[in-house]
């Protein structure tokens, strides 16, 4: 966070330093997410940003019982679009799939009921323009992968592009949430 210190002289007493905090910029702003995938053509950037927004807005953790509120901790783009090896052949109608790995805060939120609306909205919006694969992991799954040195998972996470991280990015506001659910 940026801070500015201004020194104000008083008629009596010592000089005072006042901290003025500048408000944080929205790091989930559309342009910021698209900049994370700026190696792609604009249409692909738009599709990836839209899918990430749908994932965040349509995740329904209240459909399962869990000891804590459901949260998406991270959304990672993996596969050919993250490796810069994607392809699209309009003559044969072959193209790379979008692969998203989502990390949630509790294993209960891996249940299909939490993700059905996400899949429905993505299918209705993107139709057959692109194939979207979504894999859900819990924080515990990632922790176990680290302990067991599971290179399949760890290498993909390392090579992937983090589109959203709960500890870094701003949450969607209510208007953005409604727009993504349309």
């Amino acid at each position: 966070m940026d801070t500015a210190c201004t020194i104000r002289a008083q008629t009596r007493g010592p000089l005072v330093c006042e901290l003025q905090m500048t408000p944080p910029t929205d790091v989930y702003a559309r342009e910021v997410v698209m900049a994370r995938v700026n190696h792609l053509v604009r249409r692909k950037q738009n599709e990836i940003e839209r899918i990430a927004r749908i994932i965040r807005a349509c995740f329904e953790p209240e459909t399962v019982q869990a000891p804590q509120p459901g949260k998406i901790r991270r959304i990672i783009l993996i596969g050919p679009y993250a490796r810069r090896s994607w392809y699209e052949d309009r003559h044969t109608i072959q193209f790379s799939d979008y692969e998203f790995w989502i990390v949630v805060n509790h294993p209960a939120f891996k249940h299909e009921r939490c993700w059905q609306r996400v899949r429905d909205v993505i299918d209705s919006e993107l139709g057959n323009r692109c194939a979207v694969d979504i894999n859900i992991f819990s924080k515990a799954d990632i922790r176990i992968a680290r302990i067991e040195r599971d290179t399949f998972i760890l290498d993909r996470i390392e090579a992937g592009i983090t589109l959203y991280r709960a500890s870094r990015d701003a949450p969607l506001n209510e208007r953005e949430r409604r727009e993504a659910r349309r």
Side-chain angles (χ1 to χ4, degrees), residues 109-173:
F109 302 116
K110 292 170 43 177
H111 196 280
E112 182 60 32
R113 283 184 296 198
C114 297
W115 302 99
Q116 191 56 51
R117 174 140 176 137
V118 170
R119 295 181 200 285
D120 292 344
V121 172
I122 288 172
D123 287 345
S124 71
E125 281 212 14
L126 300 173
N128 60 1
R129 277 195 328 227
C130 60
V132 179
D133 293 330
I134 297 175
N135 294 299
I136 316 300
F137 298 89
S138 68
K139 283 177 32 178
D141 295 333
I142 304 302
R143 198 172 319 128
I144 290 168
R146 284 191 180 113
I147 291 169
E148 295 178 350
R149 299 185 201 288
D150 184 342
T151 56
F152 176 80
I153 292 175
L154 299 176
D155 289 350
R156 279 160 184 75
I157 289 174
E158 181 69 29
I161 298 171
T162 299
L163 301 173
Y164 169 77
R165 183 184 303 239
S167 63
R168 171 187 71 195
D169 296 331
L172 293 178
N173 62 37

Side-chain angles (χ1 to χ4, degrees), residues 22-170:
T22 56
T25 57
D26 178 8
V27 291
Y28 191 77
R30 193 167 186 278
E31 298 77 23
V32 174
V33 173
M34 288 173 59
R36 294 174 185 159
V37 289
N38 67 355
H39 62 280
L40 299 172
V41 296
R42 180 63 103 187
R43 179 174 58 85
K44 296 294 183 183
Q45 291 176 22
N46 286 331
E47 287 175 350
I48 289 170
E49 190 279 331
R50 182 68 182 141
I51 293 167
R53 191 171 293 274
I54 290 169
I55 289 169
R56 292 182 62 212
C58 297
F59 169 58
E60 296 180 324
E62 60 279 350
T63 59
V64 296
Q65 289 185 339
Q68 57 190 339
K71 291 189 184 341
I72 295 174
R73 306 303 298 169
R74 206 165 162 193
I75 300 173
I76 307 163
L77 176 69
I78 65 159
Y81 289 100
R83 288 190 310 263
R84 296 164 168 79
S85 62
W86 63 282
Y87 61 89
E88 186 174 281
D89 184 0
R90 294 185 181 186
H91 299 294
T92 62
I93 313 175
Q94 293 183 358
F95 50 87
S96 299
D97 293 357
Y98 290 118
E99 295 179 60
F100 291 88
W101 281 15
I102 302 166
V103 180
V104 292
N105 62 329
H106 191 275
F109 302 116
K110 292 170 43 177
H111 196 280
E112 182 60 32
R113 283 184 296 198
C114 297
W115 302 99
Q116 191 56 51
R117 174 140 176 137
V118 170
R119 295 181 200 285
D120 292 344
V121 172
I122 288 172
D123 287 345
S124 71
E125 281 212 14
L126 300 173
N128 60 1
R129 277 195 328 227
C130 60
V132 179
D133 293 330
I134 297 175
N135 294 299
I136 316 300
F137 298 89
S138 68
K139 283 177 32 178
D141 295 333
I142 304 302
R143 198 172 319 128
I144 290 168
R146 284 191 180 113
I147 291 169
E148 295 178 350
R149 299 185 201 288
D150 184 342
T151 56
F152 176 80
I153 292 175
L154 299 176
D155 289 350
R156 279 160 184 75
I157 289 174
E158 181 69 29
I161 298 171
T162 299
L163 301 173
Y164 169 77
R165 183 184 303 239
S167 63
R168 171 187 71 195
D169 296 331

